[in-house]
Amino acid sequence: MKKLPTVLLCGGLLCATAQAAEPVNQIAVLTHQQAQQLVAKAEQIIDRHHIGGAIAVVDPFGQLIAYERLDGATLANSELAPKKAHSAVAFGAPTASFQQKIAAGNIGLLGNPAVVPLPGGEPVKVNGVVVGAIGVSTPDGNVDAEAAQGALSALKAG
């Protein structure tokens, strides 16, 4: 009977040793500094259009990392920016793609509360993996798309 606990203990040590020897996979994350870079680049683009707005960056779980409310932002801008970011990260797709799908007749998307079918939400990907998203809302949807897409270049350059 005394050999059984010893065998189990040794078996456990062998397993622990084998697991420790395996390489650890690195998981890409969106840092606060990177989120701030996204916000800064989007703000720069919005400023060129001389309008107000709001910018939100979320992690892969839709939790807010960074948020900026610019002068002239409306209540709608302040609420939509985080919702666009959340929608983009939830589906790993630009929010403008929902607008296109609905226009093509897929009105069932409108029943999903996570879908925001407006331009300005872009997933942030590292090596093909969604690590977060940016949402931009201004009075002009074209500016929203330009700023969100342009912000992604801040990470590629850095």
Side-chain angles (χ1 to χ4, degrees), residues 58 60 83-101 109 114-125 128-135 148-149 152:
V58 298
K83 289 179 181 178
K84 288 180 182 184
H86 185 269
S87 186
V89 80
F91 295 96
T95 54
S97 69
F98 301 125
Q99 193 175 45
Q100 295 161 354
K101 290 175 183 177
L109 286 173
V115 171
V116 178
L118 301 168
E122 293 287 334
V124 177
K125 296 181 181 180
V129 176
V130 176
V131 296
I134 183 168
Q149 292 166 3
L152 298 177

Side-chain angles (χ1 to χ4, degrees), residues 27-92:
I27 298 173
V29 296
L30 184 61
T31 66
H32 182 260
Q33 181 182 4
Q34 290 170 319
Q36 293 294 73
Q37 290 172 333
L38 290 167
V39 168
K41 183 65 175 179
E43 183 175 355
Q44 181 183 50
I45 293 167
I46 293 168
D47 284 347
R48 287 198 307 245
H49 293 277
H50 307 289
I51 56 177
I55 307 157
V57 178
V58 298
D59 68 12
F61 305 105
Q63 298 298 309
L64 201 58
I65 299 174
Y67 176 83
E68 189 71 31
R69 181 189 175 280
L70 308 177
D71 290 343
T74 65
L75 175 60
N77 298 148
S78 299
E79 291 182 359
L80 281 171
K83 289 179 181 178
K84 288 180 182 184
H86 185 269
S87 186
V89 80
F91 295 96

